[in-house]
Structures are given as structure tokens and as C-alpha cells.
Amino acid sequence: MNNQQGIPLPSELAARSPSRHKGSVELRRSQANIPQADQYLLDTRDRADFTHTDPWRVLRIQSEFVEGFGTLAELGPAISVFGSARTRPGTVHYDVAEQIGRLLVKRNFAVITGGGPGSMEAANKGASEAGGLSVGLGIELPFEQGLNDWVDLGINFRYFFARKTMFVKYAQGFIVLPGGLGTMDELFEAMVLVQTQKVTSFPIVLVGSAFWGPLMDWVKTTLLEEGMIAAADLELVSVVDTAEDAVERIMAGLSVGTGRRMPEEPM
């Protein structure tokens, strides 16, 4: 059944999906029912299997990094935009994501998303329609629908960790719209990388104070008060409500840091 917003559940999408990507390979009909590459890697029951299959798997993982590095090396300044695949066209979140994509291009950034539907599609659409470079980094999922039609440069990955590396390595910052577990995963991983100084001058902006406010309140009243984080960690992210403010926070965050490429000033 659909959820309360009428959005198909992943199980329903899986039933409808005529094909799946497995890295650069496209599988259709009965071939699309095989397990995911990440499932093979993380869910091996027979530990002896390691000696027979994982050496080959390492080569496949290596090839994903090589392909990603080679494809994105000349990308130039870019911002990764995250948000729910379930966001519907015509909703506030979709419209804001589209505006963000457009405004980033005006600041001479490329736009990187997960390449899927919803907020990702919206950001890619805004970037593409504004004449900028619209990048999609897809992932093998049981309910995937392929890269959206607004992606100009797309790569499909088997492994989450290879894909995550590309999001951070080739972006100057993150803009995060309301989303689910995948969005939260990317958000907190980026926060950890900044906190531990694995990346520098990397602004992270959350869009939608009504959505993110309760989470940030919990961070302040629970994590901080319990001593699980430092007060300075609260400065890792900014919360805004408009596309314009999101892009301005990104620019402000980059202007005070070092180590990340800034785009040239727009003409």
C-alpha cells in the first residue's frame, strides 16, 4: 500500500521496475532479481567464501574508484545536493531543490545528486535548465528507477562506499533537503568528516527549519548535554529555509575556509 502521501513504497517500486543497474550493466526481467553487489559483500554466510571471491571483488571495487575518479577529475567546483527520492513535483521541497540547482549554476557550481527521483531530480532539473552541469551518482538498489532524465553526466555504482567517496571528494559542500535514512546517512557522515578534519572548508547547509529543527534540538539537548559532542560541533551545520539562503551560506562557508576550490565569479 502507498503511504499517507500517496507515495509508492519501495516494495511497490520494486514490483513495477522493469530493469536494474548493476554498475554499468543494465538487467531486465528475470535477470533483475539477482542479489545486489553490496549484499554479496556484506552478507556472506560462508566465511571460507572470502578466499574464493573477495580478491576478485577488490578488483571490481577498484574499478569503481578508477571510473569515478577518471570521470569526475575535471568536474570543477561542485555542490552535492541531497534529499528524499519520495518528494513529489509541485511540492515545496521539490520547488526549493529546483531553485537551489538553478542558483548554484549561477554561482558557477556544478550540481551533484544521487541521480534519483524526488529532490534529486529537482536539483538536477534546475541545474540543467540553467545551463550548468548536472551530475548524478546512481546506486544499485532493489527498487531503483535509474538516473533521472535531467542528469547530464551519470555514473552508476555497485558499492555505497565508492559512491560516497565521490560525493565528498568532488564537492565543495553539501546542501541537504528533507529526506529519509539515505539522506541522514550522508548528512552525518559529512559531519563526522568535518568534525575529524578529514575534509576542510566544507559547509553543510540544512534546508527546512520545520523539518530539521527537532533533530537539531535533540542534538543540543541530548548529545551536547550528555557530553557526547562538543559545543563547537553545533557549528558544523547551518539551518535555513530558502534556496537563496542555502546558496549564500555555502558561499560564506567557502570564503572563510581553505583547501577547496572556489568557482570563478559569475560574469
Side-chain angles (χ1 to χ4, degrees):
M1 295 179 65
N2 291 356
N3 61 19
Q4 292 179 348
Q5 289 75 38
I7 301 172
L9 298 173
S11 58
E12 295 176 304
L13 292 174
R16 300 179 191 176
S17 178
S19 66
R20 274 179 51 198
H21 286 93
K22 194 172 186 68
S24 60
V25 178
E26 184 168 350
L27 304 170
R28 294 184 174 179
R29 290 175 284 279
S30 62
Q31 292 297 306
N33 295 324
I34 65 174
Q36 302 173 67
D38 266 332
Q39 182 180 347
Y40 277 125
L41 176 65
L42 301 174
D43 197 29
T44 303
R45 296 293 192 270
D46 181 3
R47 304 318 300 170
D49 186 57
F50 172 91
T51 60
H52 300 293
T53 62
D54 278 11
W56 289 103
R57 190 168 290 127
V58 167
L59 296 178
R60 181 180 291 163
I61 293 168
Q62 176 181 299
S63 73
E64 292 214 335
F65 280 108
V66 170
E67 184 172 21
F69 292 159
T71 301
L72 301 175
E74 303 300 324
L75 181 62
I79 300 296
S80 291
V81 181
F82 298 98
S84 176
R86 297 170 180 252
T87 301
R88 294 283 190 172
T91 61
V92 172
H93 298 327
Y94 191 99
D95 293 343
V96 170
E98 190 174 339
Q99 293 171 31
I100 287 170
R102 190 176 299 114
L103 290 172
L104 287 173
V105 167
K106 290 182 178 180
R107 296 294 190 122
N108 289 338
F109 287 104
V111 173
I112 304 174
T113 79
S119 294
M120 295 174 283
E121 173 189 282
N124 286 135
K125 179 182 179 184
S128 182
E129 289 186 336
L133 181 55
S134 175
V135 181
L137 307 181
I139 185 68
E140 178 192 357
L141 293 172
F143 48 87
E144 70 172 323
Q145 298 296 295
L147 296 175
N148 68 68
D149 292 338
W150 297 100
V151 170
D152 301 317
L153 176 63
I155 308 174
N156 280 299
F157 290 87
R158 288 182 173 91
Y159 300 103
F160 265 115
F161 54 84
R163 179 188 187 227
K164 287 180 177 181
T165 300
M166 306 306 155
F167 278 131
V168 177
K169 180 173 175 60
Y170 294 102
Q172 276 60 58
F174 280 4
I175 295 179
V176 188
L177 292 114
L181 296 178
T183 302
M184 300 291 178
D185 179 45
E186 298 292 352
L187 168 61
F188 281 105
E189 182 163 29
M191 292 174 67
V192 170
L193 291 173
V194 176
Q195 180 198 49
T196 56
Q197 300 180 21
K198 300 297 185 183
V199 294
T200 58
S201 183
F202 197 87
I204 304 169
V205 181
L206 309 182
V207 184
S209 58
F211 183 90
W212 295 110
L215 174 63
M216 297 308 296
D217 288 342
W218 175 78
V219 169
K220 296 174 184 176
T221 60
T222 302
L223 294 186
L224 182 60
E225 290 185 4
E226 292 285 341
M228 302 300 176
I229 62 172
D233 294 333
L234 297 176
E235 300 175 5
L236 295 178
V237 299
S238 301
V239 182
V240 302
D241 281 307
T242 68
E244 292 81 3
D245 285 345
V247 175
E248 288 303 320
R249 291 292 181 92
I250 287 290
M251 298 301 297
L254 290 174
S255 66
V256 299
T258 58
R260 291 269 164 172
R261 291 177 295 173
M262 285 283 289
E264 297 179 0
E265 289 295 324
M267 300 296 291

